[in-house]
Structure formats: structure tokens, C-alpha cells
């Protein structure tokens, strides 16, 4: 059985101040094209459909168009979707029963009461059944009702409580679709191995939301969402597929792909093929002095989203305006030179607030490379005295 594993669409997200509608429509169209060409047995989306719990009308329209185009493919391809931490479980669950009749299966909420269970979708191939368990993002407080009213001690226990209630048949192939922060342990040292993370992810400080992958021991494959970089966690069959697009500068060097997962007979190795994606615009880092960057700019990358770090020792005149002549989507322009590095060097002395006029004089010398003239110092003193008078 073959299925697409994707996650973290973050429809409606902006990259700095740029609207990503065109980029997201373009990449979702490529997913539809892959589905039409390869005809997978299912498409799994492991959470964070939207970037906000209350998505804009524009974001909803983008996802609606994607679902509509996917549903028109014949023979029908089941879509298996869960809510992530960015999604509203209630909003995503809306009309889920109606959509289910069209083989679009959505799980917005995790089980909260004794009579509720994970949504289980069973598909079959020549080797028998494949059971997909859809487990939306959850917190320990969500499953209190499954634990005799007691709050689970941590996220790992919460996930275990939910999974242990399911009658998982070890003779069949089982896939978990989950949106949590999973970690493994080093077999030799027992230390927690943390997956690679990006600036665009929302993770709790101190790792309180970690879920140990031992909770997923009963599954042949774990289709995970939450982390934006594609990677395995502990073992080859526990995988984050990563985002389809780069959503932060920290992801500039990542290669985004579509994961095509193939399950053979029970016990056979799982195959994961990474299909190339072709974004409308890339996210890139550019570093160097301004003149060199302007001379070496490749016209083919003009429309990319670019983060620029200038290394000129003298601050250039209106650098962003000059850079906009060669790059159409500048995310940020930062300086990295002797002066800026010096400002980052802090000593252990107590910070003292000096005379404001002297502080300004020091700042002026730092920026202009010379001291204030007597006339200029007089103007500063007059302005300071005037300001003091207003405060009294």
C-alpha cells in the first residue's frame, strides 16, 4: 500500500510581511498533480492545516479548493486528516460526517470520554488490512476523562492512555497519524535525543510537551506532524515529513519533499520515497558586502524570499532600497561587522545610566566616527534642559 504523508500546511501563514497565498496554492497544486499521476491509496495530512485557530476566509478557500480537486480524482483517493496545535478542533470537525461519505476523513478532537475512541480508517490491499489511527493534537488535560478524572503526569502518559484503549491487532499493519513533539532515547546512554527544530515551530520551553516514541511501539509506521524539518525519530518508521514550503529563514537550507510511503506485507521494511517539490519562490540566505551582493545577484532568484546579512564595515547608504533593485522579496537586512559584534559583547559590570547628554555624545561618536563640536554639544544640552523643564 502506498500513501502520501504530508503535514503542517499552515494555510494562511505569512512569511515576515509577505502573503503566501500564491505559494501555497502552487505547492498544493503540485500535490494534486502527483496524486493524479501516482494514484496513491491514501493521502495523510498530519495536522496544522491552518496557521491560526480562526483561519481567514482566504485560507479556508485555499484548502476547500485543494479538497475539491483531490475529491475529483478517480478512482477516489481517501484523505485522512487530523487537527494540529494550530487548528481549531471544532472548526476542523465541522461537516466531518458529511465529508466522510466522500472519503475525506477528519479527526479534530482526541477522545475525551469513555465512549469515545480514535477515528480508525481501514484500507486493504493484496496483503490484507492497513489500519490508520487518527490521533489529533492533545494535551494531558484533554484526556482527564479517560483517566478516572486524574490529570496524566505528562504528555507521554496522555498519549499512552489514549492508545491503550484501542484494540490494535498486531497481526495487521497499523499506522498512527499524530501531531506531537516526539523524542527518542539513546540506547547506550539513555539520554533523550531531541529532533531538529526550526524558528517557525511552537514548542514549549524545557521540553514539557515531549512524547517518548516508546508510546508508538504497536505501529508499523508513524506519520507525524508538528516539526517543519523532515526527519526520523529514533527509528526509520517514526517520521516527520516536514512542511511543503519553507516557513522561516532557519529552514533555508532544508530540502522540502513529498513523502511517498510504501507498506509491504506485515514485517517487511517500510519504504519511504521523497518526491521533489518545486516551490514558486525559494527562501534563501545571502551574505557579503553590499557591492558584491548587487553584482553577483542571479536574476533567476529575483523573486525568492531573501534574508540579507551585510558585512560592510561602514554602514551602506539605504541598503534595502539598493537591494530591492535585484531582489523583489526581501525578508530582512541585518549588519554583521566589527561594530555590531562589539555591541553583542557584554561584560559583568553593573549597567549604569549615565548623563543623557553624555550618552548621546557617545552614541554620536559611535555612529559618526567623531566627537560632537562645541556648538553641537550646546544644542544637545539645550534640548536636554528643555526636556527636564517639561518633566518638572
Amino acid at each position: 500500500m502506498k500513501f502520501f504523508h504530508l503535514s503542517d500546511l499552515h494555510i494562511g501563514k505569512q512569511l515576515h510581511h509577505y502573503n503566501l497565498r500564491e505559494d501555497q496554492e502552487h505547492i498544493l497544486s503540485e500535490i494534486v498533480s502527483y496524486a493524479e499521476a501516482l494514484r496513491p491509496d491514501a493521502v495523510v495530512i498530519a495536522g496544522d492545516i491552518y496557521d491560526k485557530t480562526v483561519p481567514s476566509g482566504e485560507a479556508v478557500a485555499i484548502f476547500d479548493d485543494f479538497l475539491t480537486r483531490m475529491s475529483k480524482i478517480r478512482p477516489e483517493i481517501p484523505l485522512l486528516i487530523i487537527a494540529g496545535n494550530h487548528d481549531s478542533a471544532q472548526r476542523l470537525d465541522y461537516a466531518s460526517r458529511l465529508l466522510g461519505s466522500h472519503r475525506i476523513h477528519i479527526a479534530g478532537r482526541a477522545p475525551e470520554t469513555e465512549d469515545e475512541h480514535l477515528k480508525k480508517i481501514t484500507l486493504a490491499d493484496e496483503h490484507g488490512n492497513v489500519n490508520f489511527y487518527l490521533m489529533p493534537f492533545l494535551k494531558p488535560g484533554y484526556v482527564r476523562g479517560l483517566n478516572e478524572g486524574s490529570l496524566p503526569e505528562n504528555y507521554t502518559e496522555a498519549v499512552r492512555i489514549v492508545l491503550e484503549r484501542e484494540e490494535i491487532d498486531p497481526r495487521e499493519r497499523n499506522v498512527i497519524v499524530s501531531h506531537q513533539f516526539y523524542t527518542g532515547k539513546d540506547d547506550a546512554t539513555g539520554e533523550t535525543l531531541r529532533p531538529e527544530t526550526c524558528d517557525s515551530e511552537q514548542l514549549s520551553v524545557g521540553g514539557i510537551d515531549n512524547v517518548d516514541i516508546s508510546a508508538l511501539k504497536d505501529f508499523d509506521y508513524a506519520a507525524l506532524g508538528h516539526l517543519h524539518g523532515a526527519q526520523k525519530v529514533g527509528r526509520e518508521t517514526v517520521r516527520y515529513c516536514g512542511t511543503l514550503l519553507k516557513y522561516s529563514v532557519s529552514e533555508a537550507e532544508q530540502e522540502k519533499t513529498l513523502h511517498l510511503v510504501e507498506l509491504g506485507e506485515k514485517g517487511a521494511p517500510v519504504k519511504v520515497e521523497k518526491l521533489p517539490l518545486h516551490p514558486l519562490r525559494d527562501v534563501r540566505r545571502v551574505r557579503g558586502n553590499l557591492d558584491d551582493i548587487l553584482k553577483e545577484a542571479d536574476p533567476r532568484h529575483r523573486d525568492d524570499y531573501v534574508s540579507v546579512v551585510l558585512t560592510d564595515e561602514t554602514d551602506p547608504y539605504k541598503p534595502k532600497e539598493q537591494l530591492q533593485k535585484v531582489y523583489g522579496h526581501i525578508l530582512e537586512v541585518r549588519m554583521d561587522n566589527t561594530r555590531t559584534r562589539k555591541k553583542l559583547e557584554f561584560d559583568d559590570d553593573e549597567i549604569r545610566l549615565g548623563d543623557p547628554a553624555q550618552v548621546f555624545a557617545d552614541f554620536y561618536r559611535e555612529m559618526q566616527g567623531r566627537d560632537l563640536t562645541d556648538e553641537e554639544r550646546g544644542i544637545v544640552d539645550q534640548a536636554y534642559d528643555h526636556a527636564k523643564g517639561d518633566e518638572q
Side-chain angles (χ1 to χ4, degrees):
M1 177 168 293
K2 294 183 178 182
F3 61 90
F4 289 169
H5 170 200
L6 52 149
S7 75
D8 295 84
L9 307 183
H10 287 284
I11 300 174
K13 185 177 180 61
Q14 290 192 338
L15 182 57
H16 289 229
H17 55 280
Y18 292 106
N19 186 317
L20 297 178
R21 175 174 183 159
E22 289 184 349
D23 304 80
Q24 293 180 327
E25 288 177 332
H26 174 85
I27 208 69
L28 289 174
S29 290
E30 187 167 15
I31 301 303
V32 174
S33 297
Y34 267 128
E36 290 172 337
L38 300 178
R39 301 301 170 100
D41 297 295
V43 173
V44 171
I45 307 179
D48 278 357
I49 308 305
Y50 298 111
D51 191 55
K52 295 180 179 179
T53 54
V54 184
S56 66
E58 179 178 274
V60 173
I62 292 171
F63 190 51
D64 177 69
D65 179 69
F66 171 71
L67 293 181
T68 300
R69 294 176 64 186
M70 288 293 299
S71 66
K72 290 180 178 179
I73 299 175
R74 293 293 181 271
E76 286 184 317
I77 301 174
L79 273 74
L80 284 54
I81 304 167
I82 65 170
N85 59 301
H86 279 254
D87 297 312
S88 164
Q90 290 75 18
R91 285 183 171 82
L92 208 58
D93 259 337
Y94 178 74
S96 60
R97 283 184 291 180
L98 175 62
L99 291 171
S101 65
H102 295 276
R103 307 197 77 182
I104 300 175
H105 306 283
I106 300 177
R109 293 188 308 108
E112 296 181 4
T113 63
E114 286 293 338
D115 59 344
E116 293 178 336
H117 288 268
L118 293 178
K119 184 170 288 189
K120 174 185 171 184
I121 308 299
T122 299
L123 305 177
D125 62 8
E126 66 271 22
H127 300 297
N129 289 340
V130 177
N131 304 306
F132 292 83
Y133 290 86
L134 309 187
M135 185 168 66
F137 175 75
L138 60 84
K139 296 181 179 180
Y142 295 0
V143 299
R144 186 193 299 265
L146 308 180
N147 196 40
E148 300 180 345
S150 299
L151 184 70
E153 292 184 4
N154 49 49
Y155 277 72
T156 300
E157 183 183 357
V159 169
R160 283 201 174 108
I161 288 171
V162 171
L163 294 178
E164 287 172 357
R165 301 172 66 252
E166 305 299 326
E167 297 179 0
I168 300 174
D169 188 343
R171 297 168 300 177
E172 297 184 337
R173 292 162 295 169
N174 299 291
V175 176
I176 182 72
V177 184
S178 179
H179 190 98
Q180 305 285 158
F181 182 44
Y182 285 94
T183 57
K185 291 188 182 301
D186 187 295
D187 292 336
T189 65
E191 294 182 358
T192 298
L193 300 175
R194 292 179 61 87
E196 295 180 5
T197 59
C198 306
D199 293 343
S200 51
E201 300 157 356
Q202 290 185 355
L203 303 174
S204 298
V205 176
I208 61 172
D209 56 356
N210 291 9
V211 179
D212 192 278
I213 62 167
S214 60
L216 307 180
K217 58 182 176 58
D218 295 328
F219 295 95
D220 299 274
Y221 184 80
L224 306 182
H226 197 28
L227 299 189
H228 291 189
Q231 58 197 292
K232 66 177 182 179
V233 184
R235 59 180 186 267
E236 294 291 336
T237 55
V238 179
R239 285 192 170 273
Y240 287 102
C241 61
T243 54
L244 301 176
L245 294 171
K246 299 175 183 179
Y247 285 133
S248 69
V249 176
S250 65
E251 299 170 54
E253 280 72 44
Q254 292 182 359
E255 181 183 3
K256 302 296 185 178
T257 59
L258 172 63
H259 283 40
L260 175 61
V261 181
E262 181 178 358
L263 297 179
E265 62 183 344
K266 179 72 176 183
V270 176
K271 299 177 181 178
V272 179
E273 182 180 358
K274 298 178 181 179
L275 306 175
L277 293 172
H278 307 88
L280 190 62
R281 303 176 184 90
D282 199 1
V283 175
R284 300 174 55 243
R285 285 189 174 109
V286 178
R287 180 185 177 88
N289 65 64
L290 180 60
D291 287 342
D292 288 343
I293 290 175
L294 295 174
K295 292 176 184 175
E296 297 169 6
D298 189 334
R300 294 173 299 177
H301 298 304
R302 173 176 174 77
D303 287 333
D304 288 349
Y305 298 108
V306 181
S307 169
V308 181
V309 177
L310 298 176
T311 57
D312 303 70
E313 285 301 326
T314 302
D315 291 355
Y317 176 72
K318 293 186 176 180
K320 187 171 183 179
E321 285 81 347
Q322 296 190 61
L323 288 164
Q324 285 173 333
K325 297 175 183 178
V326 295
Y327 292 119
H329 299 86
I330 296 176
L331 300 177
E332 59 185 353
V333 179
R334 297 187 292 113
M335 296 297 303
D336 181 16
N337 54 26
T338 302
R339 178 180 61 80
T340 58
R341 286 193 291 272
K342 183 177 180 182
K343 282 187 172 294
L344 295 175
E345 295 176 358
F346 296 97
D347 57 29
D348 296 329
D349 293 340
E350 181 182 356
I351 297 176
R352 295 181 176 84
L353 296 178
D355 173 69
Q358 185 58 48
V359 170
F360 180 82
D362 294 340
F363 172 74
Y364 186 89
R365 183 190 310 112
E366 183 78 18
M367 296 302 295
Q368 300 298 325
R370 67 173 179 84
D371 291 326
L372 290 166
T373 65
D374 291 341
E375 182 181 359
E376 290 167 339
R377 182 176 287 276
I379 294 173
V380 173
D381 290 339
Q382 288 177 19
Y384 176 52
D385 291 340
H386 181 73
K388 284 180 63 179
D390 289 344
E391 291 178 356
Q392 293 174 352

